[in-house]
Amino acid sequence: MTIDIISVVPDLLNGPFSHSIMKRAQDKGLLQVNVINLRAYTTYARAQVDDYPFGGGAGMVMMIEPLVNAVEDLQKNKIYDDIIFLTPDGETFHQKMANALSLKNNLLMICGHYKGVDQRFRDHFVTKEISIGDYVLSGGELAAAVLTDAIGRLIPGVLNDETSALSDSFQDNLLAPPVYTRPEVYRSWRVPEVLMSGNHRLIEEWRHEQSISRTAARRPDLLD
Ligand code: 6GU
């Protein structure tokens, strides 16, 4: 799978994919992440990519021209399954969207900045608009990193048995149960007895109960 990301601050995306599971996914050839600098596609002076809003008002608007130049140049090499615009007014990202997107071959993500992008770009090029939550970030880069991580780790072969996605929180609309490791006793705090019992059926039952009570306490909305 390839994920191409168009950004005006490409350096923001240098770190997130160079470590841990995202690095392994790329080293294994299962995921390819390319960050594209939007400023390389402007025809305006001083690499300008934004301008004042028609009708007035605060903030700048990303111009359609550099964005279309970039998208159409990238489209010479591949067909995108989705062109995703990261924006706080998009649909809120959740695990099921990550699952669905992990089955695609080529994704293009556009990181919004300033007061947004010219609506004509959204109307004619964007196929999905996604937000990562009800708060405002300075730009879409961190959101693109969040999506790429959530999607990338679901690509078959990226996770091994120990990191399997099947037991993640949200995968079955339940939060994950608590986990423990050595030592068995620390400052008199003991690991729950059942986990030391060796009885796998009891352990699974306990974990499922813990998942349900945790979800009921923290995220009752998930149980509806
Ligand atoms: Cl995708 N972009 C920005 N700028 N802010 C956000 C967001 C995206 N999702 C939540 N807040």
Side-chain angles (χ1 to χ4, degrees):
M1 165 179 218
T2 69
I3 299 181
D4 293 344
I5 306 174
I6 297 177
S7 165
V8 289
V9 201
D11 286 349
L12 270 179
L13 293 165
N14 281 342
F17 314 122
S18 308
H19 306 278
S20 183
I21 288 169
M22 289 301 99
K23 179 176 193 305
R24 195 170 69 215
Q26 292 173 92
D27 290 347
K28 282 184 171 179
L30 299 170
L31 172 67
Q32 204 188 333
V33 182
N34 306 303
V35 181
I36 297 103
N37 186 353
L38 181 64
R39 293 188 199 280
Y41 287 95
T42 182
T43 53
Y44 295 88
R46 292 181 299 282
Q48 187 182 349
V49 293
D50 59 337
D51 210 338
Y52 296 98
F54 282 129
M60 304 292 273
V61 176
M62 288 171 76
M63 292 186 286
I64 186 170
E65 224 180 305
L67 285 165
V68 172
N69 290 346
V71 170
E72 290 189 336
D73 186 49
L74 294 166
Q75 280 175 327
K76 288 177 192 156
N77 299 317
K78 55 186 83 120
I79 293 169
Y80 291 106
D81 299 290
D82 268 309
I83 298 181
I84 300 168
F85 178 49
L86 283 315
T87 176
D89 60 6
E91 184 184 352
T92 308
F93 191 57
H94 53 69
Q95 188 64 42
K96 285 186 181 63
M97 290 164 77
N99 293 349
L101 289 170
S102 74
L103 303 174
K104 311 278 186 178
N105 288 319
N106 298 309
L107 296 177
L108 178 58
M109 299 188 189
I110 321 277
C111 304
H113 259 265
Y114 319 111
K115 273 286 160 194
V117 317
D118 191 302
Q119 182 61 37
R120 291 168 292 185
F121 179 73
R122 297 170 70 160
D123 292 343
H124 298 288
F125 286 87
V126 170
T127 62
K128 277 193 168 62
E129 303 194 321
I130 298 178
S131 159
I132 60 165
D134 290 343
Y135 41 81
V136 177
L137 303 169
S138 316
E141 283 76 12
L142 297 181
V146 166
L147 260 70
T148 300
D149 188 300
I151 293 165
R153 63 193 290 287
L154 296 173
I155 298 169
V158 170
L159 297 187
N160 51 38
D161 256 9
E162 291 96 273
T163 55
S164 160
L166 291 176
S167 54
D168 286 342
S169 284
F170 300 112
Q171 209 47 279
D172 47 9
N173 257 356
L174 288 177
L175 302 184
V179 293
Y180 298 85
T181 187
R182 290 190 299 177
E184 191 177 337
V185 185
Y186 179 75
R187 294 190 178 176
S188 86
W189 302 318
R190 296 198 70 89
V191 170
E193 203 64 47
V194 60
L195 296 179
M196 313 307 295
S197 70
N199 185 329
H200 292 291
R201 190 183 54 82
L202 276 185
I203 291 170
E204 278 320 299
E205 273 174 24
W206 180 84
R207 286 183 170 152
H208 190 62
E209 286 159 14
Q210 290 287 317
S211 277
I212 290 172
S213 57
R214 229 179 214 202
T215 309
R218 300 176 182 195
R219 293 294 306 277
D221 56 297
L222 293 177
L223 292 175
D224 296 342

